[in-house]
Amino acid sequence: MTAATTPDGTDFTLICDACGQSVAGLGATMHNWDLVWSLFRRHGWTGARLATGPHSCGRCSRVPLASADADPVGWLAGDAPSTPAASDVAAEPAPAVPTDPRVSGAVADEALVVALSGDLDIEVGPALRAALSPAGYRPGHLILDMSRVTTLDSSVLGLLVAARHRAAQAGGHTCLVGLAPFMRRMMHTLCLLHLFVVLPDRATAVGWLRGDDADLPRQRDLRGETTPA
């Protein structure tokens, strides 16, 4: 994640993934990601259109991605190490799936439901990745229960956006339920809110995915005005 937000979601800093150069106070002065990125692109920054990155500053964008030694170990000359035979490789146990008490996941009603809680920072990343891609699960509909989240690190938001893209590529929808006001402001400022279906709770999300949207409650937008769900 290269647009790091403040805890209240009202401001953000753009960070170069290559050198770490940062430009702070962008949300407070220009108010949303799309405006910021259109300006910074004119000044040589390159990268993804979404705030989740990656992004490179003008200086780093001019540095070739290939290393000076294009063939550091001689593989292009035919010196690649031989692949050992299957019989020569000792069977190794599968690595343990990382876990974290702040993350839980289960498949229910033909959707993957991942519930998050507490303060979510970069350390929750391995467990969150595992929960979003459980063994044997084919990507489809995804429900992200955020009702018990107290703080949200920008790196975690990047993982959620990536999971949303995987679900969309498989023809699925991603529902965010229980969003706190600060999370809604954060995602609105970074122009990411439109990527998700925002609903009040799990039951409503399950009904929406089934097509039972006739009685969906009206939701309040960022200004406090009611809008149809």
Side-chain angles (χ1 to χ4, degrees):
M1 183 71 175
T2 51
T5 61
T6 55
D8 63 0
T10 59
D11 198 4
F12 64 90
T13 297
L14 177 60
I15 303 172
C16 173
D17 288 293
C19 69
Q21 175 188 347
S22 62
V23 184
L26 297 175
T29 55
M30 287 187 271
H31 307 300
N32 73 74
W33 167 257
D34 285 347
L35 180 60
V36 167
W37 188 236
S38 64
L39 176 63
F40 275 72
R41 285 187 62 189
R42 297 175 190 172
H43 287 78
W45 283 66
T46 59
R49 181 181 63 84
L50 292 178
T52 47
H55 304 114
S56 295
C57 66
R59 180 181 60 187
C60 294
S61 297
R62 294 190 293 269
V63 177
L65 294 178
S67 64
D69 186 353
D71 188 19
V73 293
W75 286 11
L76 298 180
D79 299 332
S82 59
T83 303
S87 58
D88 297 333
V89 179
E92 296 183 0
V97 177
T99 60
D100 191 290
R102 296 169 289 179
V103 181
S104 64
V107 178
D109 297 300
E110 299 183 355
L112 175 61
V113 180
V114 176
L116 304 174
S117 62
D119 298 329
L120 302 179
D121 52 28
I122 194 170
E123 294 181 356
V124 82
L128 180 55
R129 290 189 187 92
L132 292 170
S133 302
Y137 175 72
R138 297 181 61 184
H141 296 314
L142 175 62
I143 299 175
L144 300 170
D145 189 342
M146 314 290 287
S147 59
R148 298 178 60 191
V149 174
T150 52
T151 62
L152 180 66
D153 185 270
S154 298
S155 63
V156 175
L157 184 56
L159 294 179
L160 301 184
V161 171
R164 179 268 177 195
H165 290 337
R166 291 194 297 271
Q169 289 172 353
H173 297 284
T174 300
C175 299
L176 286 177
V177 303
L179 271 186
F182 84 90
M183 285 187 284
R184 186 182 287 265
R185 285 194 299 269
M186 175 190 297
M187 298 181 70
H188 175 77
T189 301
L190 296 179
C191 299
L192 297 174
L193 195 61
H194 70 282
L195 299 176
F196 301 89
V197 180
V198 181
L199 297 169
D201 51 52
R202 290 195 203 184
T204 305
V206 170
W208 187 87
L209 291 173
R210 289 176 174 170
D212 305 333
D213 59 351
D215 298 322
L216 283 181
R218 295 167 68 85
Q219 302 179 68
R220 292 186 176 273
D221 66 14
L222 290 169
R223 298 166 297 179
E225 300 175 357
T226 56
T227 56

